[in-house]
Amino acid sequence: MATMGSLIGLVNRIQQACTVLGDYGGGGGGGGSLWDSLPSVAVVGGQSSGKSSVLESIVGRDFLPRGSGIVTRMPLVLQLHKTEGGTEYAEFLHLPRKRFTDFAAVRQEISDHTDRITGKSKAISNKPIQLSIYSPHVVNLTLIDLPGLTKVAVEGQPESIVQDIENMVRSYVDKPNSIILAISPANQDIATSDAIKLAKEVDPSGDRTFGVVTKLDLMDKGTNAVDVLEGRSYRLQHPWVGVVNRSQADINKSVDMLAARRKEQEYFQTSPDYGHLAHKMGAEYLAKLLSEHLEAVIKAKIPSIISMINKTVDEIEAELDRLGRPIGGDAGAQLYTILDMCRAFDRVFKEHLDGGRPGGDRIYGVFDHQLPAALKKLPFDKHLSLQNVRKVISEADGYQPHLIAPEQGYRRLIDSSLSYFRGPAEASVDAVHLVLKELVRRSIAATEELKRFPTLQSDIAAAANESLERFREDGRKTVIRLVDMEASYLTVEFFRKLPTEPDKGANNNTPANDRYQDNHLRRIGSNVSSYIGMVCDTLRNTIPKAVVHCQVKEAKRNLLNRFYAHVGSKEKKQLSAMLDEDPGLMEKRDSLVKKLELYKSARNEIDSVAWK
């Protein structure tokens, strides 16, 4: 099992990492943070309760700012590390690699950093100051010094300061893993103690609360706090501890803190009121008591901490998968990422076409509704009217009418009729092109992996649309060729089957301009109409085939082929520009990666320290 203090040291390191990542508790990190799952000692007390003096006595150094009003305006996470000797020093998390051996400078930095964060308006902040002290005169312990509870706002403070401070303190002591160190002065009725009142509300059983009575030496003559210290005035599950802080005169004279500890022990040992309790009184005893209890609580909480860490690791992994993993810095890794994004987009695009996602059905709608409707609207009735047939036949005869049949007139009527098919054929190509462009847009929007790369999205969209333009041009040429093929060679068998006998009643000796009577012209128009109908049925089937072959199939096979070749020739700098991510998303992913590393490292450390 872990040695005494090793688990507390581990918790200290994890809390430091949490603070760096902004994943700290107490109103800052939320109820589900790693910070909140770690046991810690929250120091609570009213203003002028002697809270700062207790902390300095535990540390054995004079390092906290003093003054009137609210001096502590930010949580101070005080991490004590017991060393085997050497120089005592302090380190702030916000000033990495800078050691303070002058504790007066520590006091000044706490004050200066508070002003930097909160300004000089005496406002408060939830963001903690993280201070580590390394000394042979301390025990391994983590204490969170919170602003003193107050009842009134003083000049320069917002009216909400009273409630703001209480809310901040509650956010720390409400947590079930929080150990409450409630500081109360002996010269105040314990029933009116701000710290005890708050502790009773959040910990009615007293299981998490340690009571500390300060200023025992300042009580009125003839009075004492024995009833409180022995648990008769207010009972807690843990023993009350009395402390005697340095007097103001000692502070003014800068009396050594270690000397003050000795003086405190002498007071209890020689006191007629507290002599029988001397062995469990004083700041030094309080520090050991808290350290042992904190260690025990951490051990008991290890299974739940590990469970919470595992759950959070899974959640972060899932979120990173959704956002996309970090990209390697070399050109090969960047090229691989780009190609992987392209494949993801291509997969979604094909799902749209094949029915796995909506949208591809609109192509069938072009063939099943738009093309037949367009063919039906072609003006063949007008073009093959009796008047127009007579005009075309007459013009085809020229100065000498055909002797047997108006073949040239037939051809002209058929050619001019077939030219009408160009419009619906090209319209089908354009309609499918628009559907494919819309599917490209939808596919880019639906490709989760691409959302982190707006530049790459634009590049893929441009490349895909450029390919679609080529496919459209190929489709247009092909369908026009189909129409032209129908005009290039007429189906001979169709005309051979047409009746050749002259119209009954026709007079073959009439002049040329009366050569074709209405019935015969109607028959010509009807014959041409029948042929055009046959061609229309053919094109109704072949135009969709051509469009699918030239546009849809090519889009499925070769939509990004040119883009692949283009990307493969790019330099690292150009590839990096294509993978220019959204800054907000990058920041979010970087934060998640750091948190994931923290949680995994914490899990490994807890396993190795707790059970070795």
Side-chain angles (χ1 to χ4, degrees):
M1 201 54 90
T3 59
M4 179 63 70
S6 58
L7 283 177
I8 295 178
L10 169 61
V11 168
N12 286 348
R13 293 193 297 275
I14 296 174
Q15 286 177 327
Q16 285 179 340
C18 286
T19 304
V20 170
L21 296 176
D23 194 32
Y24 47 82
S33 70
L34 177 55
W35 176 294
D36 288 320
S37 71
L38 299 172
S40 57
V41 180
V43 185
V44 183
Q47 287 189 31
S48 303
S49 62
K51 184 163 58 69
S52 295
S53 295
V54 170
L55 291 173
E56 289 182 329
S57 295
I58 290 175
V59 174
R61 283 289 186 172
D62 190 354
F63 69 97
L64 291 173
R66 295 180 180 276
S68 59
I70 301 175
V71 178
T72 304
R73 290 183 281 131
M74 298 172 63
L76 174 66
V77 180
L78 178 60
Q79 297 181 333
L80 306 181
H81 305 264
K82 183 174 179 60
T83 61
E84 295 304 321
T87 305
E88 291 180 273
Y89 64 93
E91 291 181 341
F92 288 96
L93 194 62
H94 64 272
L95 295 174
R97 294 180 296 279
K98 181 175 182 180
R99 289 189 176 185
F100 290 77
T101 55
D102 179 0
F103 282 81
V106 173
R107 181 191 311 113
Q108 187 61 48
E109 178 56 30
I110 293 173
S111 179
D112 291 346
H113 190 65
T114 299
D115 286 342
R116 285 194 293 269
I117 299 299
T118 67
K120 297 188 178 182
S121 61
K122 298 187 178 180
I124 64 172
S125 170
N126 286 317
K127 184 176 182 180
I129 300 174
Q130 195 107 10
L131 173 64
S132 294
I133 294 178
Y134 300 83
S135 168
H137 305 300
V138 300
V139 295
N140 290 297
L141 186 60
T142 299
L143 300 159
I144 304 174
D145 183 23
L146 298 166
L149 298 165
T150 184
K151 292 183 171 62
V152 293
V154 299
E155 184 178 354
Q157 295 173 346
E159 289 298 323
S160 63
I161 192 73
V162 176
Q163 191 61 49
D164 291 343
I165 290 175
E166 182 175 336
N167 291 342
M168 180 196 291
V169 174
R170 279 183 181 274
S171 70
Y172 281 89
V173 299
D174 267 343
K175 296 181 298 181
N177 290 333
S178 176
I179 300 165
I180 304 168
L181 187 63
I183 310 291
S184 303
N187 55 5
Q188 176 187 351
D189 187 351
I190 199 69
T192 63
S193 165
D194 294 326
I196 292 297
K197 179 184 176 184
L198 181 59
K200 187 176 181 180
E201 291 178 12
V202 300
D203 179 32
S205 66
D207 291 336
R208 299 189 287 116
T209 303
F210 284 80
V212 177
V213 182
T214 62
K215 304 184 180 181
L216 292 169
D217 56 331
L218 300 182
M219 294 185 72
D220 293 338
K221 191 174 181 180
T223 63
N224 60 52
V226 173
D227 284 349
V228 176
L229 294 174
E230 292 185 344
R232 290 189 291 273
S233 293
Y234 185 81
R235 185 169 183 81
L236 295 172
Q237 297 299 318
H238 304 287
W240 285 82
V241 179
V243 298
V244 174
N245 301 325
R246 288 182 302 166
S247 66
Q248 189 59 48
D250 290 339
I251 293 173
N252 294 338
K253 294 177 184 177
S254 299
V255 172
D256 179 72
M257 291 296 301
L258 298 180
R261 282 185 184 179
R262 291 192 295 271
K263 185 176 179 181
E264 179 188 44
Q265 284 302 312
E266 290 173 5
Y267 171 84
F268 284 116
Q269 289 168 358
T270 60
S271 169
D273 294 323
Y274 309 117
H276 66 293
L277 299 172
H279 64 288
K280 52 181 181 180
M281 293 290 118
E284 194 169 359
Y285 171 79
L286 174 63
K288 291 179 180 177
L289 180 68
L290 290 173
S291 181
E292 291 172 358
H293 182 73
L294 181 59
E295 183 93 10
V297 170
I298 292 173
K299 286 179 183 177
K301 296 290 184 181
I302 282 177
S304 62
I305 293 173
I306 291 290
S307 176
M308 190 282 295
I309 289 177
N310 288 334
K311 178 175 179 291
T312 306
V313 164
D314 290 342
E315 291 173 352
I316 294 176
E317 293 272 15
E319 180 68 6
L320 281 173
D321 286 338
R322 191 185 68 80
L323 294 178
R325 298 289 179 161
I327 307 161
D330 61 288
Q334 292 174 339
L335 179 60
Y336 177 84
T337 298
I338 291 173
L339 296 179
D340 198 44
M341 299 295 104
C342 291
R343 285 189 290 268
F345 157 76
D346 199 47
R347 184 171 57 251
V348 174
F349 180 72
K350 288 175 180 176
E351 287 175 2
H352 278 295
L353 287 177
D354 294 335
R357 297 172 185 255
D361 55 314
R362 290 175 55 199
I363 294 175
Y364 176 73
V366 172
F367 303 144
D368 194 49
H369 302 294
Q370 290 178 238
L371 176 60
L375 293 174
K376 188 177 290 186
K377 290 179 181 178
L378 293 178
F380 291 129
D381 289 345
K382 181 178 179 182
H383 185 65
L384 297 177
S385 65
L386 184 64
Q387 180 181 357
N388 196 55
V389 170
R390 177 181 286 112
K391 177 176 179 294
V392 172
I393 295 296
S394 298
E395 290 175 352
D397 279 348
Y399 73 91
Q400 183 176 350
H402 285 79
L403 298 176
I404 300 174
E407 179 181 336
Q408 190 67 20
Y410 264 110
R411 290 188 177 276
R412 288 191 180 186
L413 281 172
I414 292 173
D415 283 348
S416 57
S417 296
L418 291 178
S419 66
Y420 284 114
F421 288 118
R422 288 173 172 260
E426 290 184 299
S428 297
V429 170
D430 291 339
V432 170
H433 176 75
L434 291 177
V435 173
L436 292 173
K437 282 188 69 174
E438 173 62 15
L439 293 186
V440 165
R441 186 193 67 78
R442 286 193 192 184
S443 299
I444 287 177
T447 305
E448 290 293 332
E449 298 90 334
L450 268 178
K451 290 183 178 178
R452 56 192 283 209
F453 303 117
T455 301
L456 184 57
Q457 284 186 36
S458 300
D459 290 343
I460 290 177
N465 287 326
E466 182 182 334
S467 294
L468 292 181
E469 289 292 343
R470 291 199 314 274
F471 302 154
R472 174 167 69 168
E473 184 60 24
D474 289 343
R476 189 189 68 79
K477 289 178 180 177
T478 300
V479 296
I480 293 302
R481 188 174 290 116
L482 287 177
V483 174
D484 291 345
M485 285 164 58
E486 293 293 342
S488 298
Y489 183 78
L490 304 184
T491 306
V492 178
E493 289 76 8
F494 179 87
F495 293 99
R496 285 176 177 168
K497 294 177 182 178
L498 294 178
T500 56
E501 66 275 7
D503 294 329
K504 294 179 180 181
N507 186 356
N508 292 329
N509 297 319
T510 56
N513 58 348
D514 295 328
R515 181 176 179 83
Y516 299 117
Q517 296 180 357
D518 289 353
N519 287 339
H520 189 63
L521 292 173
R522 287 191 186 94
R523 178 178 294 171
I524 292 173
S526 176
N527 292 339
V528 172
S529 179
S530 296
Y531 185 78
I532 294 302
M534 181 188 72
V535 172
C536 184
D537 290 340
T538 300
L539 292 177
R540 186 184 289 114
N541 292 319
T542 56
I543 287 174
K545 293 178 186 293
V547 169
V548 169
H549 177 76
C550 296
Q551 293 177 263
V552 181
K553 289 292 185 182
E554 282 298 298
K556 287 183 67 174
R557 285 193 298 259
N558 303 316
L559 186 63
L560 295 180
N561 277 13
R562 290 195 180 185
F563 184 67
Y564 291 146
H566 179 63
V567 169
S569 64
K570 285 185 176 292
E571 300 292 332
K572 179 179 180 299
K573 185 177 180 181
Q574 295 170 306
L575 295 174
S576 297
M578 294 176 71
L579 294 173
D580 183 21
E581 294 185 76
D582 176 77
L585 191 146
M586 290 175 64
E587 183 178 347
K588 182 177 181 181
R589 189 181 62 251
D590 288 345
S591 175
L592 285 172
V593 168
K594 290 176 182 177
K595 285 184 180 180
L596 182 62
E597 292 172 355
L598 162 64
Y599 277 66
K600 286 184 175 180
S601 174
R603 180 173 60 190
N604 294 337
E605 283 204 66
I606 290 173
D607 281 341
S608 63
V609 173
W611 308 115
K612 68 182 179 182

